[in-house]
Structure formats: C-alpha cells, structure tokens
Amino acid sequence: MSAELRINADALKELADAADELEQAVEGADVRLVMGMAMMEVIKNNFAAIAQDETHHKTAQRLEAAPTGVYEEAGRRTDQPVVESDAVSVTIHQAAIAQRFFGGPIETVNANWLTIPARTESYGKLAGEFDNLRFILFPSGTAALVDRGAPSPGNVYFWLVKHVNQAPDETVLPNEDDILNEVMNRAASYIGRVWSKAKLST
C-alpha cells in the first residue's frame, strides 16, 4: 500500500503572492513610519518621565524654585518621524537638550558674563528682567549681581562666570536599547498584521 500527498500549485502561488506582499511591506515606507512613530513615542515618554523626577531638577530643588519646563518643552518640540530612502529620523528642536546630552563648554554670546541663578527669584530668569541689580566683584575675584538696595555686599541674585563646562548627561534621551526594543516590537507586530492580511486575501 502506498500513500501520496499533493500540494495544489495554486496554494503555492497564493503563498508566493502573500510573501511578495510581505516583502514589499518590509521594504516599504509604511514599516519605517511605524518604526519612527515608536521611536518618537519612546523619546517623548522619556521627556515626560524626567520632567517629574528629582535627578534632573537638582538646582531648582536646591533653590526651592519651580522647574523651568525644559523637558516638557522638549516633548512638544519633538517632530513627527520623517521617512527617508533607507531610514527614518526624529528631530528634537531644542538646543538645551543637545547641550545636556553632549555636555561641553558654554561660552558667552554678545555678553561679558554667564549668569548662574543664586536664589529662588532668579531661577529660570534673565538678569535683564530685574531692574534692581548692580554688579559687584568680591575680594576673592568672584563676580555677582546683587540687590542694589541691600546693604553691601547685598543679596546675590546671580553669580557671574566667563564660561561653564557642563558634564554630559545621556539620560536626557532614552538609551538605544530601549528605543531599538520598542522599534523592533512595533515593526514585528506590523509585519505580522501584513502577513495575516496577505494570507487572508489570497
């Protein structure tokens, strides 16, 4: 006794057609857009999380001041993903995030001094917003802007420096593994949906 199994050639053609549709989906712009949306959401979620933590607001806490909202603003200034020929990109339009992430020197621009807030009232403000300040140079060589009406040396509003070398803080952006994991999960889910749809339509 013998047994014979056959697979109808039409079924193979249907499978090949479904595979072709899957290949187009993997190589097309749609899957890159799905991956870009995942990347954008991970970045925005990271900004939302650190906007509420203590680690990224030490100066505000020390001065008992309200945070400036730099991370909330970074979330709002994170663009929708842009699909490129072989990739997808997400842009964050905020120089403060780049400065925090990479660190490095901060120099004066069209000014003689950088202002470092020294009290609650001056945190997140520009020196020009105050009309009651005067310049003072302490015997130590330290410069400051102090309350003009207070007894010498006055209440310090801003410390003045010529430059600052900021340490990098890579935690202002999610790490690459977190981004990649979410991107791959979203891409796999999308490809799975395309495959299921392709099989059903053949």
Side-chain angles (χ1 to χ4, degrees):
M1 179 181 292
S2 62
E4 184 179 82
L5 295 175
R6 288 187 178 185
I7 296 178
N8 191 303
D10 290 341
L12 291 177
K13 183 180 182 303
E14 291 173 359
L15 183 60
D17 290 343
D20 287 342
E21 187 171 340
L22 180 63
E23 181 179 6
Q24 292 173 10
V26 172
E27 295 179 350
D30 287 350
V31 71
R32 291 198 292 276
L33 182 59
V34 168
M35 296 166 73
M37 291 297 293
M39 179 165 57
M40 180 193 71
E41 289 178 18
V42 173
I43 292 170
K44 285 191 168 189
N45 288 341
N46 189 70
F47 285 143
I50 63 179
Q52 304 299 322
D53 69 16
E54 297 181 357
T55 304
H56 295 84
H57 301 91
K58 291 180 180 178
T59 302
Q61 290 180 336
R62 176 172 56 81
L63 296 176
E64 298 182 345
T68 60
V70 64
Y71 298 110
E72 291 92 338
E73 182 66 17
R76 291 189 290 271
R77 295 175 68 90
T78 300
D79 281 353
Q80 294 286 318
V82 175
V83 175
E84 302 168 6
S85 59
D86 59 350
V88 61
S89 62
V90 173
T91 301
I92 305 162
H93 293 281
Q94 193 176 51
I97 295 301
Q99 176 63 42
R100 284 167 168 77
F101 182 80
F102 293 107
I106 302 175
E107 307 290 346
T108 59
V109 177
N110 299 323
N112 294 322
W113 301 91
L114 294 174
T115 55
I116 309 298
R119 57 193 297 141
T120 304
E121 298 93 323
S122 56
Y123 185 75
K125 302 287 183 63
L126 299 174
E129 297 179 51
F130 298 87
D131 57 8
N132 63 323
L133 303 181
R134 65 186 175 92
F135 174 86
I136 187 171
L137 186 64
F138 292 97
S140 63
T142 300
L145 292 175
V146 302
D147 186 348
R148 180 184 290 115
S152 184
N155 295 322
V156 176
Y157 276 65
F158 295 95
W159 299 109
L160 303 178
V161 296
K162 290 294 185 181
H163 62 85
V164 171
N165 191 36
Q166 187 173 32
D169 180 5
E170 295 184 352
T171 65
V172 298
L173 293 177
N175 65 59
E176 291 185 6
D177 287 342
D178 289 342
I179 295 176
L180 184 59
N181 287 340
E182 185 61 25
V183 165
M184 295 305 293
N185 287 339
R186 296 284 188 90
S189 178
Y190 171 77
I191 291 169
R193 292 196 301 272
V194 171
W195 175 247
S196 297
K197 183 179 178 182
K199 288 193 298 181
L200 289 174
S201 63
T202 54

